Amino acid sequence: MKIRIDQQEIDVNPGETILEAARQNGINIPTLCYHEAFGGQGMCRMCMVEVKTAHSTNLVASCTYPINEVIEVHTSTPVIEKARRTIIALLYRTAPQSEFMKKLYQEYKCVENQLEINENERCILCRLCVRACEEIGSSAISAILRGTEKRISTPFDEASTVCIGCAACANICPTGAIELSQTPAGRTIWNRTFAVVTCQRCGQAFATREQLDYIAQHTGIKGSESKLCDDCRKKNLAAQIEQYAQ
Amino acid sequence: MQPAINDDKRMILVCCGTGCLANGSMEVYRALQEQLATTEVQVETYTKSTGCNGWCEKGPLVKIMPDDITYCRVTAKDIPEIAAKTLQNGELINRLLYRDPKTKQRVKSHHEIDFYKKQHKVALRNIGEIDPASIEDYIQRDGYKALGKVLEMTPLQVIDEIIKSGLRGRGGGGFPTGQKWKACAAVDASTRYIICNGDEGDPGAFMDRSIMEGDPHTVIEGMIICAHAIGASSGFIYVRDEYSLAVKNLGIAINDARTRGYLGPQILGSQLSFDIEIVRGGGAFVCGEETALMASIEGNVGEPRDKYIYPTEKGLWGQPTIINNVETWANVPVIMNGGAPAFAAIGTEGSKGTKVFSLVGKVINTGLVEVPMGTTLREIIYGIGGGIPGGRKFKAVQTGGPSGGCIPADMLDLQVDFDNLTKAGSMMGSGGLIVMDEHTCMVEIARYYVNFLAGESCGKCAPCREGLKAMLEILTGICKGEGSEADLDFLREIGETMQIASLCALGKTAPNPVLSTLNYFRDEYLSHINEHHCPAGVCRDLTRFYIDVEPCTGCGLCAKNCPMDAISGDRKEPHVIDQDKCIQCGECRNQCKFDAVKAR
Amino acid sequence: MAADSRPIKQKTFTNILDQYPAEKRYILAMMQDVQGEYKYLPREGMQMIAAYVDVPLSRVYSMATFYKAFSLVPKGRINFKVCDGTACHIKGSNIIIDQVYQYLGIRPGETTPDGEFSLETVNCLGACALAPAVVANEKVHPKVTSSGIIDIIKSYGGQINATSN
Ligand SMILES: Cc1cc2nc3c(=O)[nH]c(=O)nc-3n(C[C@H](O)[C@H](O)[C@H](O)COP(=O)(O)O)c2cc1C
Ligand code: SF4
Ligand code: SF4
Ligand code: FES
Ligand code: FES
Ligand code: FES
């Protein structure tokens, strides 16, 4: 099926979202809550685009809108730009500590406002962390409460028994909102401190005990493999392949 | 079976809706039963507790049939007299009859007063007339007759009839019901679901509650008819858990309907098998939104999703689903019974039938009213509602709940239907009609709704969550006299972004109360901002009450009701308010019969 | 302590959960029944439900904090529900809420330290004609004024300390 995005004609598979189609063709649409690993969540609404069908013109979230008919898409109109600017302005104010948001705020040339700022906050509630944790299989964190009180947390704001300290959440977070402290003594995240395992080869701390146990339990990978950090494991593997090739 | 009522039989209907219960109708009902059990009355009597008659203001209501007598504000103490005089001798008790404020005459039947005369009951046809826990009562008033008829028709014929009736959804959006059914029936699928939306989250409305409590079978019959039309085998009624009486009565009704073969396998010997399950909601306004409601039934947090694929195609558990509002369902049996043309004869070009409104606020007769679409606001507020109490000036009427807007006095002649309300910057919503007078502050009302929504939004999408947070902060500031004119532009900008960018209709319509008051009552905003003055005398930081010596008669009513003992004065002498003690609650102004308490 | 707080018993939970198949769609109903039993949703209840239905605790916790019907802390002996529906609001329910704070020192969602009173706001009770309405446990008090609420508090044994601020 052929559709048009910003004057460019592109080929799409029915059911594909506008955002996926655009990205595959090098067309940029701004997003905050999208990650290719999880698909569209429809939360930040930065990805709004204008869609013309045979019958009507609508503003839709491109990350969740499935293409099922011939459409014409505009990724930027004055109305859309204004909405994006307002969204950034408002989000910046809830997450003023985030460098990432500050940059966007400047990029979008948001107008100054008098709204109170939420001083120590960085989170913009994109929930990528929640999705990442779910994907790992832990689901230690979730979005709690509702409305303007909504936030991300572990149950009862306490150390979670199912958290494995893998820091997948902190790594995916675009705004650096999840506090993670890593010392040789241990890794602290979500109110819990984990003992860390050091790489047998390079001596770097690379994972928590719980993380390795978890991997062992779920994949059956055991033994020396799991005692190496990512880098050393790759090196190890490369060495093995080389050996094998010779 | 129900005994036919003849001259030596009396049916006594005691209203046991929420309003009357709060006024003590359960005591009245018990006293009546005791009285009739212990004393000899010549006539045979039947007592029934009914759902809300819509006139809670005058409750507890007791109606006596077939004489058609309506007694207002009845207490348990009145029961012996009612038994002795009215039941025994057919004598009227004047004191308990309604007194028409215009003619000063006592009125025997509620049918004779303006409040009821000007109404047209379709969805509420049975409420107050039947015992909601009795399926016989429902059947006697043509209940399940439509179902019998429908089972003889093909599904397409049923859908066609609903399309022809012009019925539009009563849950807010006003989507044509027949078209929705048709779209759902056209999808190729093996399983389809039907949902009744009884979440009723609008904080100032209770019509759906009243229907579920007072006439549960009409909802069930409507759903069974739809099951035949689209080929569904299971249905859900999603009710707010706080509505315990609705949950109870619906439960009884579903059981009775099963026993009688209206629900279950092979309904009335036909091919249709259909059953209904009650799901109790968890208390979330956003769960009234259909995709959030389905998420909630599925056992998730009630967050909506984008509806680029309609629920009629992929709804509950990914199957084609029909979701309609309680009042919509209540209309379905009537349409199938009386035929589409009869239904379409009521109402306006684009909005057929009637609409139930919850007429409340600063109006004399508050309660549930059902009127033909196209009735003017003036007729509803003045004709039925009896106008504004205390001779005060009407200022605005809020329709559509938190998604709606405020309509000013110069639009009183607006004919209420889906399209006219939308054009006026408001909407039908669920049908709340909140009347406001000069003592209602429009900025504070906007703040009230925004505050409500800030707590009720699911918080999933950024424009709605962050927009509401920002609007609330700005409006709270204005109510404290801390706003600036630039704030008004910012409010508009935020509002417009929410309208286009929010995920669901909650966020898309949330700015309506703000934008509509900004449109029609900008002056009031400016008074708060520039003069630090709340013209209505509501915003406490900007209000000081004082007593005008001229009209004050020194009756002392204000002083008696002041919670802070801030008012003093000798009897028959003008009173004064001690500003240091006054908390600006305005109780003195509410109480004063001489309009002597002023705000500045 | 709140008068009707009952000991947390595994058995009570098991009895409730046994009535439902171990499916996700019944989580809400189970939570409601547990709350019905205890007048609040104890943590152990959430943990049992999560284990029974086999979903992460974080998900049950999300639901429990999302739906307003649930309270995660015990309620007072007398639970005041002040209606803040629109009809009640424009007739001054906010003043009643302030008055309760003034005299009992609790805001919506809070309970007095002695476990006697708690306060919450609710949306329309269906008694708008009697606005503003206050419910104390099950009893509806119609047309409550700013001074009337003081008498109501007293009638449930509340100590009114007029000078408290
Ligand atoms: C925030 C929000 C709240 C809603 N609340 C209700 C409600 O309480 N009851 C209802 O029937 N519809 C409600 N709706 C509308 C429903 O989403 C849906 O359109 C309706 O139930 C469809 O039924 P109808 O076509 O019979 O009106 C709400 C919509 C939104 C966006
Ligand atoms: S913590 Fe980071 S990843 Fe998680 S929701 Fe907040 S911004 Fe998104
Ligand atoms: S109620 Fe009115 S008339 Fe009576 S003392 Fe107070 S201000 Fe004066
Ligand atoms: S990327 Fe589409 S809504 Fe966030
Ligand atoms: S409850 Fe009796 S008239 Fe409304
Ligand atoms: S708004 Fe309070 S009872 Fe309806």
Side-chain angles (χ1 to χ4, degrees):
Chain A
M1 196 159 56
K2 284 198 189 312
I3 65 161
R4 271 179 173 283
I5 302 184
D6 291 344
Q7 318 303 334
Q8 188 177 332
E9 194 170 75
I10 60 173
D11 231 343
V12 298
N13 302 318
E16 208 175 359
T17 65
I18 296 176
L19 183 66
E20 285 160 355
R23 293 228 163 149
Q24 268 155 30
N25 288 275
I27 302 169
N28 183 47
I29 299 174
T31 60
L32 288 176
C33 72
Y34 179 81
H35 192 284
E36 3 0 299
F38 318 129
Q41 303 193 84
M43 292 185 188
C44 69
R45 315 307 280 179
M46 281 298 285
C47 69
M48 299 291 295
V49 296
E50 186 186 276
V51 168
K52 280 199 174 95
T53 69
H55 335 278
S56 61
T57 304
N58 290 305
L59 292 179
V60 304
S62 60
C63 70
T64 56
Y65 189 97
I67 304 167
N68 284 317
E69 60 190 319
V70 177
I71 52 174
E72 194 184 319
V73 178
H74 294 279
T75 62
S76 171
T77 69
V79 173
I80 292 174
E81 286 308 322
K82 195 173 152 200
R84 285 183 186 149
R85 194 178 323 126
T86 313
I87 294 172
I88 294 292
L90 294 177
L91 278 177
Y92 173 58
R93 148 188 176 269
T94 13
Q97 279 304 308
S98 149
E99 282 304 317
F100 174 80
M101 284 313 296
K102 189 170 182 180
K103 249 178 71 200
L104 280 175
Y105 184 77
Q106 288 159 351
E107 213 172 281
Y108 276 82
K109 300 197 173 59
C110 295
V111 207
E112 285 290 318
N113 62 60
Q114 303 299 311
L115 295 171
E116 246 174 68
I117 56 166
N118 197 354
E119 272 183 35
N120 298 314
E121 194 52 82
R122 290 194 183 92
C123 174
I124 54 168
L125 285 168
C126 68
R127 291 198 218 170
L128 290 175
C129 52
V130 177
R131 296 298 298 269
C133 190
E134 228 172 74
E135 215 63 18
I136 300 286
S138 293
S139 287
I141 50 175
S142 62
I144 63 161
L145 298 162
R146 72 178 186 213
T148 51
E149 309 246 279
K150 200 132 200 163
R151 59 189 172 84
I152 308 294
S153 187
T154 51
F156 312 103
D157 289 326
E158 290 173 3
S160 156
T161 50
V162 294
C163 178
I164 55 170
C166 69
C169 52
N171 290 332
I172 205 168
C173 176
T175 64
I178 297 171
E179 268 173 59
L180 170 72
S181 83
Q182 172 104 27
T183 64
R187 175 189 287 177
T188 304
I189 189 166
W190 294 116
N191 303 317
R192 188 167 162 198
T193 304
F194 296 85
V196 282
V197 180
T198 46
C199 175
Q200 280 184 335
R201 206 186 247 189
C202 68
Q204 282 277 348
F206 75 97
T208 65
R209 183 75 266 150
E210 284 76 0
Q211 210 176 334
L212 294 185
D213 288 350
Y214 186 87
I215 293 170
Q217 212 175 35
H218 289 258
T219 59
I221 300 175
K222 279 202 198 87
S224 65
E225 268 308 277
S226 62
K227 297 205 174 71
L228 299 179
C229 74
D230 251 8
D231 273 354
C232 295
R233 198 170 58 238
K234 276 182 206 141
K235 280 184 203 144
N236 205 19
L237 198 66
Q240 278 176 10
I241 292 170
E242 223 163 283
Q243 239 177 6
Y244 181 78
Q246 275 167 7
Chain B
M1 268 314 274
Q2 182 90 36
I5 299 166
N6 58 36
D7 275 355
D8 48 5
K9 287 185 178 145
R10 293 285 178 282
M11 169 108 62
I12 307 143
L13 302 164
V14 181
C15 182
C16 286
T18 318
C20 287
L21 283 177
N23 273 329
S25 68
M26 201 30 89
E27 287 82 63
V28 173
Y29 183 65
R30 289 212 194 92
L32 183 68
Q33 284 188 317
E34 243 167 64
Q35 180 83 25
L36 295 176
T38 53
T39 52
E40 276 289 305
V41 184
Q42 290 297 312
V43 289
E44 240 181 281
T45 54
Y46 301 89
T47 40
K48 270 182 193 171
S49 60
T50 73
C52 173
N53 281 270
W55 202 27
C56 322
E57 176 72 25
K58 292 279 179 285
L61 298 179
V62 173
K63 294 191 290 185
I64 297 162
M65 301 309 249
D67 316 67
D68 201 9
I69 300 168
T70 308
Y71 287 144
C72 305
R73 302 231 163 108
V74 180
T75 63
K77 285 204 298 274
D78 298 319
I79 293 300
E81 193 180 347
I82 293 178
K85 289 192 178 158
T86 313
L87 295 180
Q88 183 79 339
N89 300 327
E91 226 177 283
L92 288 177
I93 304 169
N94 249 324
R95 142 179 84 78
L96 295 176
L97 293 174
Y98 174 68
R99 186 158 163 272
D100 189 310
K102 280 191 222 120
T103 62
K104 312 273 183 228
Q105 295 293 312
R106 296 282 174 177
V107 186
K108 179 181 150 211
S109 157
H110 67 283
H111 291 112
E112 296 163 24
I113 63 178
D114 280 352
F115 181 73
Y116 282 102
K117 253 196 317 209
K118 300 192 165 163
Q119 295 193 44
H120 186 123
K121 304 236 177 188
V122 177
L124 302 182
R125 64 197 179 280
N126 292 329
I127 301 173
E129 309 294 331
I130 64 169
D131 176 352
S134 155
I135 193 168
E136 286 92 0
D137 272 23
Y138 180 68
I139 291 171
Q140 203 166 61
R141 290 178 60 97
D142 287 347
Y144 291 111
K145 207 166 117 189
L147 177 61
K149 210 164 140 182
V150 162
L151 291 176
E152 309 280 301
M153 297 164 72
T154 67
L156 272 180
Q157 284 171 326
V158 179
I159 292 176
D160 228 36
E161 196 70 12
I162 298 289
I163 292 179
K164 276 195 224 136
S165 75
L167 176 65
R168 292 171 66 173
R170 303 301 196 232
F175 194 84
T177 306
Q179 298 296 348
K180 187 153 66 177
W181 293 14
K182 191 173 166 184
C184 184
V187 179
D188 189 26
S190 57
T191 311
R192 275 170 241 274
Y193 296 109
I194 291 178
I195 301 174
C196 166
N197 187 341
D199 197 44
E200 192 162 56
D202 178 344
F206 57 103
M207 58 287 278
D208 293 347
R209 169 185 195 153
S210 173
I211 294 173
M212 292 184 287
E213 285 178 2
D215 191 12
H217 283 286
T218 186
V219 175
I220 294 169
E221 187 177 4
M223 291 175 74
I224 307 172
I225 291 171
C226 179
H228 175 60
I230 67 160
S233 57
S234 47
F236 299 86
I237 303 181
Y238 190 89
V239 199
R240 274 170 65 177
D241 192 39
E242 302 100 291
Y243 286 4
S244 48
L245 186 59
V247 172
K248 182 173 154 225
N249 287 354
L250 283 166
I252 296 174
I254 289 173
N255 267 334
D256 289 351
R258 265 189 214 129
T259 311
R260 299 233 173 185
Y262 298 126
L263 281 177
Q266 291 166 0
I267 292 171
L268 299 179
S270 71
Q271 290 301 303
L272 176 64
S273 297
F274 179 69
D275 215 329
I276 297 177
E277 193 178 309
I278 297 175
V279 178
R280 292 170 291 155
F285 174 64
V286 69
C287 284
E289 198 281 338
E290 50 199 36
T291 58
L293 190 149
M294 291 177 209
S296 183
I297 295 183
E298 289 169 3
N300 295 315
V301 163
E303 289 177 348
R305 59 161 176 82
D306 274 312
K307 280 198 286 192
Y308 305 132
I309 298 171
Y310 288 124
T312 45
E313 196 181 323
K314 277 203 169 84
L316 196 56
W317 289 297
Q319 299 300 315
T321 304
I322 285 294
I323 175 164
N324 278 122
N325 165 261
V326 171
E327 191 184 332
T328 313
W329 291 120
N331 277 298
V332 169
V334 180
I335 293 169
M336 297 316 295
N337 245 340
F343 186 84
I346 315 168
T348 61
E349 185 58 35
S351 308
K352 299 299 183 196
T354 58
K355 178 78 190 91
V356 183
F357 290 101
S358 160
L359 177 65
V360 297
K362 310 283 184 74
V363 59
I364 293 175
N365 299 323
T366 50
L368 287 186
V369 302
E370 182 169 4
V371 291
M373 294 276 190
T375 307
T376 63
L377 285 170
R378 187 185 300 283
E379 178 74 356
I380 300 175
I381 297 166
Y382 285 90
I384 296 173
I388 317 300
R392 281 192 292 272
K393 246 174 59 200
F394 168 80
K395 187 191 233 167
V397 57
Q398 209 280 349
T399 74
S403 322
C406 292
I407 298 173
D410 58 15
M411 292 172 80
L412 262 178
D413 290 308
L414 184 92
Q415 296 187 325
V416 181
D417 69 7
F418 287 109
D419 310 315
N420 283 342
L421 284 176
T422 308
K423 259 184 258 156
S426 182
M427 65 184 258
M428 183 73 86
S430 53
L433 263 187
I434 291 122
V435 183
M436 301 174 181
D437 68 4
E438 50 192 319
H439 290 173
T440 315
C441 170
M442 304 315 281
V443 184
E444 207 278 333
I445 277 297
R447 198 201 79 90
Y448 164 76
Y449 280 117
V450 168
N451 182 44
F452 171 80
L453 290 167
E456 293 291 337
S457 150
C458 74
K460 175 175 174 179
C461 82
C464 175
R465 182 185 68 239
E466 302 304 331
L468 283 166
K469 202 188 288 175
M471 277 188 163
L472 180 59
E473 189 183 321
I474 297 171
L475 289 167
T476 306
I478 298 178
C479 288
K480 287 188 179 152
E482 291 163 2
S484 72
E485 281 194 45
D487 282 346
L488 302 187
D489 299 330
F490 196 29
L491 275 178
R492 192 173 291 279
E493 184 181 317
I494 297 171
E496 283 165 2
T497 295
M498 290 170 71
Q499 285 179 327
I500 58 169
S502 295
L503 191 164
C504 84
L506 185 148
K508 285 190 161 101
T509 56
N512 285 355
V514 180
L515 298 180
S516 69
T517 47
L518 263 178
N519 269 347
Y520 297 125
F521 299 96
R522 194 180 170 88
D523 282 358
E524 242 178 88
Y525 280 87
L526 292 177
S527 293
H528 285 73
I529 291 169
N530 296 330
E531 283 133 50
H532 302 281
H533 172 61
C534 173
V538 170
C539 297
R540 292 159 89 175
D541 293 310
L542 308 182
T543 297
R544 290 289 169 271
F545 289 106
Y546 70 97
I547 296 174
D548 189 349
V549 294
E550 282 298 316
C552 176
T553 64
C555 73
L557 198 56
C558 55
K560 217 175 105 209
N561 282 284
C562 174
M564 304 309 291
D565 290 327
I567 307 179
S568 58
D570 290 330
R571 232 174 145 63
K572 304 218 170 144
E573 291 297 323
H575 281 45
V576 280
I577 299 177
D578 179 347
Q579 297 298 335
D580 289 339
K581 284 190 185 162
C582 176
I583 54 166
Q584 288 82 38
C585 71
E587 198 52 46
C588 51
R589 182 171 70 170
N590 294 343
Q591 297 288 342
C592 180
K593 304 262 185 295
F594 306 95
D595 208 9
V597 182
K598 308 271 193 254
R600 82 179 137 214
Chain C
M1 265 315 283
D4 53 2
S5 75
R6 330 179 16 182
I8 305 286
K9 285 214 194 84
Q10 180 114 358
K11 186 91 180 67
T12 319
F13 296 131
T14 325
N15 286 346
I16 291 171
L17 303 195
D18 277 350
Q19 292 168 30
Y20 297 95
E23 287 171 36
K24 210 175 91 183
R25 54 179 286 223
Y26 298 108
I27 297 176
L28 194 54
M30 294 176 200
M31 291 201 296
Q32 274 157 340
D33 289 356
V34 170
Q35 165 142 320
E37 196 65 34
Y38 289 98
K39 309 288 171 250
Y40 80 106
L41 190 55
R43 168 196 285 236
E44 293 82 352
M46 284 181 257
Q47 284 161 341
M48 288 272 293
I49 292 171
Y52 179 66
V53 185
D54 193 21
V55 297
L57 179 63
S58 63
R59 166 178 222 128
V60 175
Y61 186 69
S62 277
M63 289 175 71
T65 55
F66 180 90
Y67 294 106
K68 214 175 151 190
F70 301 110
S71 168
L72 302 196
V73 289
K75 288 275 159 79
R77 181 181 62 91
I78 304 292
N79 185 26
F80 286 122
K81 294 184 195 166
V82 177
C83 179
D84 197 25
T86 323
C88 290
H89 182 79
I90 66 173
K91 291 198 171 164
S93 56
N94 55 329
I95 291 168
I96 296 172
I97 297 165
D98 285 356
Q99 288 285 79
V100 174
Y101 177 67
Q102 178 88 6
Y103 291 102
L104 293 176
I106 45 173
R107 296 205 188 275
E110 295 177 353
T111 303
T112 52
D114 60 2
E116 277 291 289
F117 295 97
S118 46
L119 173 66
E120 57 182 298
T121 58
V122 292
N123 301 325
C124 188
L125 294 161
C128 313
L130 315 170
V134 174
V135 183
N137 290 354
E138 299 297 311
K139 169 134 184 62
V140 184
H141 295 267
K143 299 200 179 177
V144 180
T145 62
S146 57
S147 50
I149 184 69
I150 304 177
D151 299 331
I152 294 175
I153 295 174
K154 277 190 201 153
S155 74
Y156 291 101
Q159 299 294 317
I160 297 295
N161 185 356
T163 52
S164 79
N165 234 315

